[in-house]
């Protein structure tokens, strides 16, 4: 019995082993099949998903690039409108019968053309279409007619004051492919007097469009609403998009966002999008080749196929080498995941860098525009404030209502000057008076100011670091920046709260600096302003330093406070960072560069001799000697007229010149000139600095006083006045001008 059972056991064991082996073989075969089919299926699924991701990324890339192109087009067209407005303003004062006025107008146009690379020619034509003035030649050839041009015909036929954009043609004067931006000129009685035409060089746009996305084959087109092509890259002989073109149909339907279509110009299938360059009848379109986009996808698929092959080999090895190979496959899987994570992190970093670049370019563009506007605005404010001050002084016994009106006008002009100052601070063109600063001493000295300004509901605490490094900055601007942040913090705590102002030494390393444009790694003095207020969401903190952006109700804020802080910190060579959380509060940190050892000046040293005059009317100081002669050089006739009147009222004999050569002739013929007072920015061949240098060569010892409306010029570099230079900043009053002139003349 026992032997039988043993025999049955022996017969049963091989059968079980065979069954188990068969099951293992079948499982192995199934695993082999799965090791081939499963990676192939996953590869196909991943490929399809990745194809969709690549196309969606291309949509985003098209939209991002289109935003850059749209902002560039708006800036260019707005610049062209400003140029035409300046020319139109100049025409109001020209005497066409005067050869000197016509020559001055030609020089004015030529200087404008040289200043803007997109401008091919500036042309003024009369009501009959004849050439009246040009930036390219003088005297103007009246036989040249533009009566056949579409822009002249359109503006003559329609009584409109808006800008007209013409079709693209070969310029009659430049010989280059151009399109014209033009506007009607009205006579004093409102009738049609002619046209101001600005010829825009197509190659300016095409060169920019060629380089806007060098990594991918792309197409950029600037087109009028009727289909006329103004500029295109790549270039084409086609002048007009047909109504059947996908872009024209999309404009007609009012579609929004990227779309895919076959180009009517070169039959290439593209991912395309467009925007209108409002308010002009012009559209900018950008597209990338769908085939080019999918080339990158195909390259990605090769990598995915390689990964799939490795996975298949791993699965196949599992069936042959069991646990040992499973461990190797597990290691390969981990490595694959690390590579995928690294690729994902790299893509995220690239998107973040592109967004930072776009934001920096936008801030730079707005800064340049605001700086240019502030320059012209300061000239106007000089005339307005100066004449109002003189009117106040001369109308002391006038009717009370008249005096109240003058006071109100002066207050409005002062507010405009403050606004201009903040614009200049944002665009980093505000003059700085740098000095050695102990931030602890400066913050401690502001304690009473904080308590008076913020009120009793806000508890103020200062945390001053021991061993704080020194820095070099403009003390007034630094105080203004800190106070500005404190006032913003107060407004964020309507029910009261706590404001903490902290100082400390900080080191910003290369990793941090790599994420912030123009920031150098190194040692910094940190001043932090922290509140317990309402806080801000991320979409607000990303825009708080933009000019005119504000979350306050109308009339409660200009939107320039933080923009002024941003511009001041960039001009100082420092950095500003903001940290905020809704319901928790906000912290803004200012980083000032540490003053290098051995370069520190004693605290309290005198600042450079640069005056930012008060706009409060004061007593007009008389000339130190009656009849002293001052030569005033100013190309703006209204500013020059005010300057002459103010100096004459102060007892000076005043000679005047509108440009450099005229001023130098007076220097040679008038030996009694005691002081040269000149604007830095002058029209003509010489700027104010060159005029002063030539004058000092001929008259050593001559006193020189400069004036300017902004700082990007020949006497101020990096916001700091050149050594030994006297300057009065526009706008100025008669009192401040008289005080400054007397100080320069009496300075030994």
């Amino acid at each position: 019995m026992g032997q039988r059972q043993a025999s049955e056991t022996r017969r049963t064991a091989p059968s079980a082993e065979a069954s188990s082996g068969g099951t293992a073989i079948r499982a192995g075969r199934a695993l082999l099949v799965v090791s081939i089919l499963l990676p192939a299926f996953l590869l196909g699924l991943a490929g399809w998903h990745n194809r969709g991701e690549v196309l969606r990324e291309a949509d985003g890339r098209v939209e991002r690039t289109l935003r850059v192109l749209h902002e560039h087009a708006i800036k260019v067209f707005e610049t062209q409108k400003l140029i035409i407005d300046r020319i139109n303003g100049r025409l109001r004062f020209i005497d066409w019968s005067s050869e000197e006025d016509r020559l001055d107008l030609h020089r004015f146009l030529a200087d404008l053309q040289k200043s803007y690379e997109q401008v091919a020619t500036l042309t003024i034509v009369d009501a009959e279409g004849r050439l009246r003035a040009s930036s390219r030649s003088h005297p103007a050839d009246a036989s040249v007619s533009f009566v056949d041009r579409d822009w002249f015909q359109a503006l003559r036929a329609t009584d409109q004051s808006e800008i007209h954009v013409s079709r693209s043609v070969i310029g009659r004067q430049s010989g280059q492919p151009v399109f014209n931006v033009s506007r009607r000129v009205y006579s004093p009685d409102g009738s049609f007097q002619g046209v101001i035409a600005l010829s825009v060089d197509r190659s300016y746009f095409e060169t920019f469009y060629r380089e806007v996305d060098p990594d991918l084959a792309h197409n950029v087109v600037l087109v009028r609403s009727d289909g006329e092509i103004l500029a295109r890259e790549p270039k084409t002989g086609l002048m007009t998009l047909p109504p059947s073109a996908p872009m024209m149909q999309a404009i007609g339907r009012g579609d929004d966002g990227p779309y895919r279509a076959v180009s009517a110009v070169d039959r290439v299938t593209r991912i395309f999008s467009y925007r209108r360059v409002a308010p002009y009848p012009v559209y900018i379109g950008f597209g990338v080749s769908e085939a080019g986009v999918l080339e990158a996808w195909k390259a990605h698929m090769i990598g995915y196929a390689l990964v799939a092959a490795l996975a298949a080999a791993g699965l196949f090895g599992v069936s042959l080498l069991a646990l040992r190979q499973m461990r190797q496959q597990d290691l390969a899987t981990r490595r694959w995941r690390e590579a995928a994570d690294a690729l994902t992190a790299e893509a995220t970093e690239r998107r973040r860098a592109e967004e930072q670049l776009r934001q920096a370019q936008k801030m730079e563009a707005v800064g340049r525009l605001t700086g240019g506007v502030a320059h012209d605005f300061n000239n106007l404010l000089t005339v307005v404030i100066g004449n109002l001050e003189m009117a106040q002084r001369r109308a002391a016994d006038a009717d009370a209502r008249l005096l109240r009106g003058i006071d109100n006008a002066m207050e409005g002009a002062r507010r405009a000057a403050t606004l201009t100052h903040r614009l200049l601070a944002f665009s980093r063109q505000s003059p700085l008076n740098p000095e050695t600063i102990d931030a602890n001493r400066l913050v401690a000295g502001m304690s009473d100011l904080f308590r008076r300004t913020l009120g009793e509901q806000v508890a103020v605490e200062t945390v001053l670091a021991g061993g704080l490094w020194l820095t070099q900055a403009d003390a007034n601007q630094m105080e203004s920046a800190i106070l500005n942040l404190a006032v913003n913090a107060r407004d964020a705590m309507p029910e009261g709260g706590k404001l903490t102002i902290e100082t400390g030494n900080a080191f910003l390393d290369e990793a941090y600096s790599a994420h912030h444009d123009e920031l150098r790694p190194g040692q910094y003095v940190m001043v932090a302003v922290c509140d317990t207020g309402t806080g801000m969401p991320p979409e607000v903190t990303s825009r708080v330093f933009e000019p005119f952006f504000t979350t306050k109700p109308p009339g409660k804020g200009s939107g320039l406070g933080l923009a002024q802080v941003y511009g001041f910190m960039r001009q100082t060579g420092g950095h500003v960072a903001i940290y905020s959380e809704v319901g928790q509060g906000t912290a803004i940190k200012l980083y000032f560069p540490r003053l290098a050892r051995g370069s520190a000046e004693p605290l309290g040293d005198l600042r450079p001799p640069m005056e930012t005059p008060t706009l409060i009317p004061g007593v007009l100081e008389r000339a130190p000697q009656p009849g002293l002669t001052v030569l005033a050089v100013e190309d703006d006739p209204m500013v020059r007229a005010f300057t002459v009147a103010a100096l004459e009222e102060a007892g000076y004999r005043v000679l005047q010149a509108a440009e450099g050569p005229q001023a130098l002739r007076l220097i040679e013929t008038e030996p009694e000139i005691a002081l040269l007072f000149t604007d830095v920015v002058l029209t003509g061949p010489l700027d104010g600095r060159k005029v002063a240098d030539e004058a000092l060569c001929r008259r050593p010892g001559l006193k020189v006083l400069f004036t300017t409306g902004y700082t990007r010029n020949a006497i101020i570099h990096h916001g700091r006045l050149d050594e030994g230079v006297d300057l009065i900043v526009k706008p100025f009053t008669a009192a401040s001008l008289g005080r400054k002139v007397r100080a320069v003349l009496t300075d030994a």
Side-chain angles (χ1 to χ4, degrees):
M1 183 73 178
Q3 292 178 349
R4 184 179 177 182
Q5 289 177 344
S7 176
E8 290 178 351
T9 302
R10 286 194 295 269
R11 290 196 299 267
T12 306
S15 175
E17 290 176 0
S19 175
S20 175
T23 302
I25 291 173
R26 288 192 298 271
R29 289 174 179 174
L31 184 59
L32 289 176
V33 173
V34 170
S35 69
I36 296 173
L37 295 182
L38 181 60
F41 172 77
L42 292 176
L43 176 63
L45 183 63
W48 179 256
H49 176 74
N50 182 251
R51 185 179 187 274
E53 287 292 327
V54 168
L55 292 176
R56 283 191 290 274
E57 173 61 25
D59 290 345
R61 183 173 186 168
V62 167
E63 285 297 313
R64 290 193 297 272
T65 307
L66 181 62
R67 283 197 294 270
V68 174
L69 293 169
H70 181 251
E71 291 175 3
H72 172 265
I74 288 178
K75 182 184 75 171
V76 172
F77 275 91
E78 287 298 314
T79 299
Q80 293 161 1
K81 181 177 180 295
L82 288 172
I83 292 172
I84 292 176
D85 288 343
R86 289 187 64 185
I87 296 173
N88 193 37
R90 184 66 176 262
L91 292 181
R92 297 175 185 172
F93 304 99
I94 187 172
D95 180 4
W96 288 105
S97 63
S98 168
E99 169 61 23
E100 182 178 358
D101 278 12
R102 294 196 299 272
L103 179 58
D104 284 345
L105 178 59
H106 162 70
R107 291 171 175 169
F108 175 71
L109 297 177
D111 287 342
L112 283 177
Q113 177 187 328
K114 294 176 183 177
S115 299
Y116 301 93
E117 60 178 312
Q118 71 266 34
V119 179
T121 309
L122 294 168
T123 306
I124 301 173
V125 301
D126 62 17
E128 282 70 43
R130 295 188 301 269
L131 180 64
R132 201 165 192 183
S134 170
S135 63
R136 287 188 171 269
S137 62
H138 182 81
D141 185 359
S143 66
V144 178
S145 174
F146 296 88
V147 73
D148 60 327
R149 293 302 199 193
D150 65 323
W151 50 269
F152 179 81
Q153 295 172 358
L155 291 173
R156 180 177 62 179
T158 305
D159 184 12
Q160 62 174 7
S161 59
E162 298 301 321
I163 292 293
H164 179 272
V165 181
S166 78
R167 64 170 62 97
S168 179
V169 296
I170 299 299
R172 190 156 287 167
Q173 300 178 73
S174 65
Q176 304 170 2
V178 300
F179 63 88
N180 286 278
V181 178
S182 51
R183 171 179 281 176
R184 285 171 61 109
V185 178
Y186 291 91
S187 63
D189 62 0
S191 61
F192 177 65
Q193 192 175 17
V195 175
I196 301 172
L198 185 154
S199 296
V200 183
D201 189 353
R202 281 184 57 167
S203 64
Y204 169 78
F205 285 96
E206 291 165 350
T207 300
F208 179 77
Y209 294 163
R210 190 177 306 119
E211 300 173 354
V212 70
D213 193 347
D215 298 331
L216 194 61
H218 64 275
N219 164 261
V220 188
V221 61
L222 187 69
V223 63
R224 288 197 321 190
S225 57
D226 60 357
E228 285 286 336
I229 297 176
L230 303 178
R232 187 181 187 273
E233 177 58 34
K235 296 181 180 178
T236 178
L238 189 66
M239 301 300 295
T240 306
L241 289 180
S244 60
M247 181 176 179
M248 299 308 299
Q249 292 182 345
I251 291 174
R253 294 191 303 267
D255 289 350
D256 187 21
Y259 62 90
R260 289 163 181 77
V262 179
S263 169
V265 178
D266 52 17
R267 311 308 299 171
V268 174
T269 301
R270 289 190 174 90
I271 303 171
F272 201 86
S273 189
Y274 72 93
R275 285 190 182 182
R276 183 180 177 188
V277 186
Y280 308 99
V282 177
Y283 291 83
I284 180 74
F286 175 76
V288 296
S289 167
E290 187 177 59
V293 171
L294 292 179
E295 284 294 328
W297 169 73
K298 292 176 182 177
H300 290 165
M301 286 305 300
I302 293 174
Y304 288 142
L306 178 61
V307 173
L310 291 174
L315 289 174
F316 189 81
V318 166
S319 65
L320 300 176
L321 302 176
L323 183 60
R324 178 182 175 186
Q325 296 301 323
M326 290 178 62
R327 290 175 178 175
Q328 292 180 354
Q329 179 58 31
D330 182 61
L331 179 60
T333 302
R334 286 199 302 269
R335 290 178 178 175
W336 178 82
R337 288 175 178 173
E338 290 174 358
D341 291 342
L343 290 174
T344 302
E346 182 180 353
T348 302
E349 178 64 20
R350 187 183 299 112
R351 287 193 295 270
R352 187 200 60 76
E354 289 174 354
E355 178 61 22
Q356 281 194 344
L357 176 61
R358 185 196 67 79
Q359 180 70 7
Q361 289 174 336
K362 180 177 71 174
M363 296 291 272
E364 181 67 19
V366 174
R368 291 183 179 178
L369 178 61
T370 54
V373 171
H375 169 225
D376 292 338
F377 200 48
N378 274 331
N379 273 341
L380 300 176
L381 285 174
T382 300
V383 176
V384 172
I385 292 174
N387 284 284
L388 283 173
E389 181 216 25
M390 296 176 70
Q392 282 179 322
R393 190 160 45 248
R394 295 172 180 174
D397 299 327
D399 181 73
R401 290 179 298 177
L402 174 61
L403 291 176
R404 188 163 53 252
I406 295 176
D407 290 341
N408 291 338
M410 179 66 87
E411 178 61 25
R414 291 195 195 100
R415 293 183 180 180
T418 301
L419 178 65
T420 307
H421 173 71
R422 290 182 173 180
L423 287 173
L424 287 174
F426 167 73
S427 59
R428 291 179 282 170
Q429 297 177 23
S430 182
L432 299 182
N433 296 327
E435 59 180 296
T436 301
I437 290 179
D438 179 348
N440 279 348
R441 184 188 302 179
L442 184 140
V443 171
M446 297 177 65
S447 298
D448 291 339
L449 180 60
F450 289 142
R451 292 184 175 87
R452 290 196 306 269
T453 304
L454 304 181
E456 297 180 354
Q457 285 187 310
V458 177
V460 180
E461 179 182 3
T462 56
V463 181
L464 306 180
L468 188 68
W469 298 324
L470 298 178
T471 185
Q472 193 171 50
D474 185 307
N476 290 334
Q477 292 277 16
M478 187 171 176
E479 289 178 354
S480 176
I482 297 173
L483 184 61
N484 210 327
L485 298 179
V487 171
N488 277 0
R490 178 201 63 190
D491 295 341
M493 300 183 289
E495 303 300 326
K498 182 178 180 181
L499 175 71
T500 303
I501 302 176
E502 181 181 356
T503 64
N505 297 327
F507 179 78
L508 303 182
D509 58 19
E510 294 183 359
Y512 182 84
S513 302
H515 298 303
H516 297 86
D517 187 38
E518 295 186 9
L519 177 62
R520 295 182 178 180
Q523 296 176 329
Y524 290 82
V525 175
M526 184 272 295
V527 179
V529 179
C530 310
D531 65 63
T532 59
T534 55
M536 293 175 284
E539 61 269 19
V540 174
T541 56
S542 65
R543 299 187 58 195
V544 292
F545 296 121
E546 295 181 10
F548 306 112
F549 175 79
T550 180
T551 58
K552 296 178 181 179
K556 298 296 184 180
S558 66
L560 286 174
L562 290 179
Q564 181 181 3
V565 174
Y566 172 86
F568 165 62
M569 294 305 298
R570 292 286 294 272
Q571 189 175 2
T572 304
H575 173 63
V576 56
I578 182 170
Y579 309 91
S580 188
E581 186 175 345
V582 175
Q584 300 299 316
T586 300
I588 299 182
K589 296 183 178 182
L590 307 180
Y591 293 93
F592 297 89
R594 179 186 182 184
L595 187 63
R597 294 180 180 177
S599 63
E601 299 176 0
L603 296 178
D605 277 4
L606 294 177
R607 299 178 180 179
M610 174 168 55
E611 179 174 336
T612 303
T614 176
L615 297 181
I616 301 175
V619 177
L620 182 62
E621 295 190 15
R622 306 294 297 178
Q625 298 177 18
L628 276 176
T629 303
V630 175
L631 172 56
V633 187
E634 170 63 61
D635 56 0
D636 188 300
M638 291 188 294
V639 177
R640 186 171 65 250
F642 159 68
T643 301
V644 171
L647 291 174
E648 287 179 344
E649 186 173 341
Y652 297 95
R653 172 175 174 257
V654 185
L655 303 176
Q656 55 181 300
E659 60 176 5
Q662 182 184 2
L664 293 178
R665 288 194 295 271
L666 288 172
I667 291 290
E668 291 179 346
T669 59
E670 299 286 343
E672 66 275 13
I673 294 175
L675 180 138
L676 170 64
F677 177 53
T678 177
D679 193 355
V680 176
V681 180
L682 296 173
T683 56
L686 301 176
D687 61 20
R689 185 56 185 260
K690 292 180 180 178
V691 171
D693 291 342
E694 288 290 332
L696 289 172
C697 287
R698 303 175 190 186
R699 294 273 305 279
L702 177 68
K703 300 289 187 178
V704 178
L705 174 62
F706 291 100
T707 185
T708 186
Y710 75 135
T711 69
R712 188 169 291 175
N713 51 53
I715 65 169
I716 298 178
H717 298 88
H718 306 294
R720 303 185 181 189
L721 193 65
D722 290 348
E723 185 176 358
V725 172
D726 288 297
L727 171 72
I728 183 171
V729 179
K730 296 178 181 177
F732 52 76
T733 62
S736 60
L737 176 61
R739 181 169 60 254
K740 186 64 177 180
V741 169
R742 181 182 176 92
V744 173
L745 285 171
T746 56
D747 181 17

